[in-house]
């Protein structure tokens, strides 16, 4: 794929209206979604002028949750390529072969690799495209290059070097926004950043805050999903002399449903059916299948946690005296300082009563999920071009701009923020191989058809 260097910001959108864009495609963010597009372009033999802009200094996937022994929740066959093209160079099996671990992995008799191994697999894939990636740059806006003589044909992408703070601007015919989610922080944390952290930075931030692993700390974990449960489990070995309390607004930790019939909700062909549903039916479908992904925990981890709780009960019948506690029916709605520690403001979800936590904590870790609205900020200046008031998308993930406002063959596509229209699998890895191919077909349709005829 052809690349071009970033140019310093030195011109306005209107002054570039009649210039050939520097790139055929710019992907904002180089996580798994954009990586799947890069792989699909490679496999299709298409060589456009493409640039991937990534704010991290290198490729890494969920760095804060690469915990020891944490396994993937999807089969390795749902990798970056296999479901689209099993003969691709970028399958997980070929990665294992290249790393001389294929036979050894087979001996494990599992479809679920370690999370750190899957991150290494994706990093291995990403290394093939390094010359096309601008690491250490955070995109601040995507704007239309206005053309007084007709519709928009070019987009301007402005980014900032996170090291030098220098601003850069490039132009592209097509833009994909795949920036992932922003940590959801449901309570004010101003001034408490060293005492309240999000799960996304758990394994990187917590060791810097609580450096003495053998000291007696008091730690709170907030949330009842997979991340919170994994952190609660990890803390028991990472800080064995500390007390840890997990707070969940539900009545108990609940198992995820990955039974085969229910799991078909993540089949790529199901996206067409979901997209055609009326909005009310989409909401109902999402709600009915929520147990596949939200606020639930893998059954094997639940078993492990329950055995740990039982072991405490064996030695101490009073749960109030346990070192590790799971506190149901409690939603964390605030916090306040208590000397060097913090106390949590708790809402009893069974009756609505508000109270303060009995214990004060050195640290609270929030497993409260992510918000996926960052694209709206990046695209704010293009809002007047929209067909509707919101940034809605077509089936092919293209933003619905007015046809008279944006030219054919030019557009903006969204990835990982379309769950309302494309279903529960939109934010998950399991769709990426097929979706990467769909994105290439949508953006470079004529070129993919020509390659298919050769």
């Amino acid at each position: 794929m052809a690349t071009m260097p970033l140019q310093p910001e030195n011109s306005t959108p209107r002054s570039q209206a009649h210039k050939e864009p520097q790139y055929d495609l710019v992907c904002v963010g180089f996580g798994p979604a954009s990586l799947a597009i890069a792989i699909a372009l490679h496999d299709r033999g298409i060589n456009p002028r493409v640039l991937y802009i990534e704010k991290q200094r290198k490729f890494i996937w969920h760095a804060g949750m690469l915990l020891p022994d944490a396994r993937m929740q999807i089969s390795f066959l749902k990798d970056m390529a296999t479901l689209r093209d099993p003969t691709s160079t970028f399958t997980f099996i070929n990665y294992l072969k290249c790393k001389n671990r294929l036979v050894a992995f087979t001996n494990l008799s599992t479809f679920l690799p370690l999370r750190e191994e899957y991150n290494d697999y994706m990093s291995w894939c990403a290394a093939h495209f390094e010359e096309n990636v601008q690491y250490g740059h955070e995109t601040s806006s995507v704007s239309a290059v206005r053309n007084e003589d007709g519709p928009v044909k070019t987009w301007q992408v402005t980014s900032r070097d996170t090291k030098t703070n220098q601003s850069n601007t490039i132009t592209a015919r097509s833009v994909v926004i795949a920036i992932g989610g922003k940590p959801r922080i449901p309570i004010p944390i101003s001034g408490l950043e060293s005492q309240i952290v999000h799960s996304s930075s758990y394994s990187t931030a917590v060791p810097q805050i609580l450096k003495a692993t053998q000291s007696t700390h008091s730690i709170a974990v907030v949330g009842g999903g997979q991340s919170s449960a994994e952190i609660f489990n990890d803390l028991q070995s990472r800080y064995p002399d500390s007390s840890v309390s997990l707070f969940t607004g539900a009545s108990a930790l609940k198992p995820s449903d990955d039974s085969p019939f229910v799991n078909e909700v993540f089949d790529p062909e199901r996206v067409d059916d979901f997209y055609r549903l009326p909005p009310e039916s989409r909401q109902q479908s999402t709600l009915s299948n929520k147990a596949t992904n939200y606020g639930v925990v893998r059954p094997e981890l639940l078993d492990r946690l329950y055995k740990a709780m039982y072991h405490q009960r064996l030695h101490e019948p009073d749960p109030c005296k346990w070192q590790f506690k799971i506190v149901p029916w409690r939603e964390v709605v605030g916090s306040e300082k208590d000397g060097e520690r913090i106390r949590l403001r708790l809402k009893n979800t069974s009756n609505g009563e508000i109270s303060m936590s009995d214990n004060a904590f050195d640290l609270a870790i929030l497993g409260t999920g992510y918000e996926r609205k960052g694209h709206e900020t990046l695209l704010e200046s293009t809002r007047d071009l929209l067909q509707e008031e919101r940034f809605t998308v077509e089936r092919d993930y293209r933003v619905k701009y007015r046809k008279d406002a944006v030219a054919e063959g030019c557009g903006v596509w969204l990835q990982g923020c379309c769950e309302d229209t494309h279903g529960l699998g939109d934010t998950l890895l399991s769709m990426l191989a097929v979706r990467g191919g769909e994105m290439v077909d949508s953006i470079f349709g004529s070129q993919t058809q020509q390659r298919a005829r050769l």
Side-chain angles (χ1 to χ4, degrees), residues 11 16 74 92 159 170 187 223 229 240 310 318 327 333 352 395 435:
S11 56
Q16 299 183 26
I74 61 168
F92 184 76
S159 63
I170 57 173
I187 60 176
Y310 183 83
D318 184 1
V327 185
V333 295
R395 167 60 184 86
R435 193 173 75 190

Side-chain angles (χ1 to χ4, degrees), residues 265-302:
V265 72
F266 301 120
D267 289 357
E269 58 266 26
R270 287 293 188 94
V271 177
D272 290 329
D273 297 334
F274 188 89
Y275 188 84
R276 287 193 291 262
L277 291 174
E280 304 79 23
S281 299
R282 290 176 186 164
Q283 293 177 9
Q284 184 178 357
S285 175
T286 299
L287 185 63
S288 65
N289 291 301
K290 192 175 181 181
T292 60
N293 192 43
Y294 288 109
V296 289
V297 183
R298 294 278 296 186
E300 56 269 26
L301 179 54
L302 288 180

Side-chain angles (χ1 to χ4, degrees), residues 144-147 150-155 382-387 400-408 410:
V145 177
R146 306 286 176 157
N147 184 358
V152 172
K153 298 180 180 179
T154 304
W155 307 95
T382 73
R383 191 175 288 274
D384 63 304
L385 305 175
L386 293 172
Q387 284 185 19
K400 290 184 178 179
Y401 290 116
R402 300 193 320 273
K403 295 189 183 301
D404 66 309
V406 176
E408 187 71 22
C410 168

Side-chain angles (χ1 to χ4, degrees), residues 21-38:
Q22 294 167 275
Y23 294 94
D24 299 308
L25 171 65
V26 167
C27 289
V28 179
F30 191 58
S34 290
L35 177 58
I37 294 172

Side-chain angles (χ1 to χ4, degrees), residues 167-435:
S167 181
N168 298 281
T169 297
I170 57 173
T171 56
R173 182 173 290 107
S174 301
V175 176
V176 171
I177 298 179
I179 55 176
K182 178 183 178 181
R184 179 177 175 268
I185 310 294
I187 60 176
I189 63 170
S190 178
L192 300 173
E193 289 82 0
S194 64
Q195 292 176 289
I196 301 178
V197 301
H198 190 266
S199 61
S200 59
S201 59
Y202 168 69
S203 64
T204 53
V206 171
Q208 300 301 315
I209 297 172
L210 302 179
K211 297 181 179 180
T213 58
Q214 301 303 317
S215 295
T216 303
H217 304 293
S218 181
I219 307 170
V221 180
V222 179
Q226 182 72 21
S227 294
S228 296
E230 288 184 4
I231 290 170
F232 181 66
N233 178 67
D234 183 70
L235 286 168
Q236 296 177 38
S237 57
R238 191 182 293 262
Y239 298 99
D241 297 323
S242 296
S243 60
V244 185
S245 298
L246 182 147
F247 296 91
T248 173
S251 59
L253 296 181
K254 298 180 179 180
S256 58
D257 186 348
D258 62 351
S259 55
F261 289 109
V262 172
N263 216 28
E264 286 186 347
V265 72
F266 301 120
D267 289 357
E269 58 266 26
R270 287 293 188 94
V271 177
D272 290 329
D273 297 334
F274 188 89
Y275 188 84
R276 287 193 291 262
L277 291 174
E280 304 79 23
S281 299
R282 290 176 186 164
Q283 293 177 9
Q284 184 178 357
S285 175
T286 299
L287 185 63
S288 65
N289 291 301
K290 192 175 181 181
T292 60
N293 192 43
Y294 288 109
V296 289
V297 183
R298 294 278 296 186
E300 56 269 26
L301 179 54
L302 288 180
D303 290 343
R304 189 184 314 161
L305 292 177
Y306 194 85
K307 289 175 182 177
M309 298 298 103
Y310 183 83
H311 190 263
Q312 290 184 119
R313 190 182 297 275
L314 175 66
H315 295 280
E316 174 53 67
D318 184 1
C320 294
K321 298 179 181 179
W322 291 357
Q323 183 180 359
F324 308 112
K325 304 173 184 176
I326 297 176
V327 185
W329 301 108
R330 293 297 183 272
E331 177 185 357
V332 176
V333 295
S335 64
E336 64 180 43
K337 291 283 288 185
D338 185 351
E340 296 298 314
R341 293 181 166 184
I342 58 171
R343 287 185 184 272
L344 300 177
R345 186 173 295 108
L346 306 172
K347 177 182 177 181
N348 186 322
T349 53
S350 68
N351 58 26
E353 292 181 358
I354 303 294
S355 62
M356 298 304 296
S357 59
D358 294 332
N359 299 325
F361 300 98
D362 298 297
L363 180 66
I365 304 162
L366 307 180
T368 46
Y370 297 84
E371 296 175 341
R372 301 183 183 274
K373 298 181 179 179
H375 62 284
E376 296 182 4
T377 301
L378 293 179
L379 294 169
E380 182 59 35
S381 67
T382 73
R383 191 175 288 274
D384 63 304
L385 305 175
L386 293 172
Q387 284 185 19
E388 306 170 11
E389 293 183 1
R390 300 187 303 116
F391 286 95
T392 54
V393 294
E394 304 282 0
R395 167 60 184 86
D396 65 353
Y397 304 92
R398 185 196 304 249
V399 174
K400 290 184 178 179
Y401 290 116
R402 300 193 320 273
K403 295 189 183 301
D404 66 309
V406 176
E408 187 71 22
C410 168
V412 175
W413 285 256
L414 303 182
Q415 294 284 270
C417 53
C418 305
E419 185 178 282
D420 289 349
T421 53
H422 288 68
L424 280 168
D426 185 69
T427 63
L428 305 181
L429 296 175
S430 55
M431 294 284 193
L432 292 186
V434 173
R435 193 173 75 190

Side-chain angles (χ1 to χ4, degrees), residues 60-70 114-120 202-203 230 238:
I60 191 165
W61 173 67
H62 287 311
M65 288 299 293
L66 295 178
L67 307 182
D69 299 323
L114 290 169
R115 195 176 295 161
E116 63 177 325
E117 181 173 34
Y118 205 81
N119 175 69
D120 187 67
Y202 168 69
S203 64
E230 288 184 4
R238 191 182 293 262

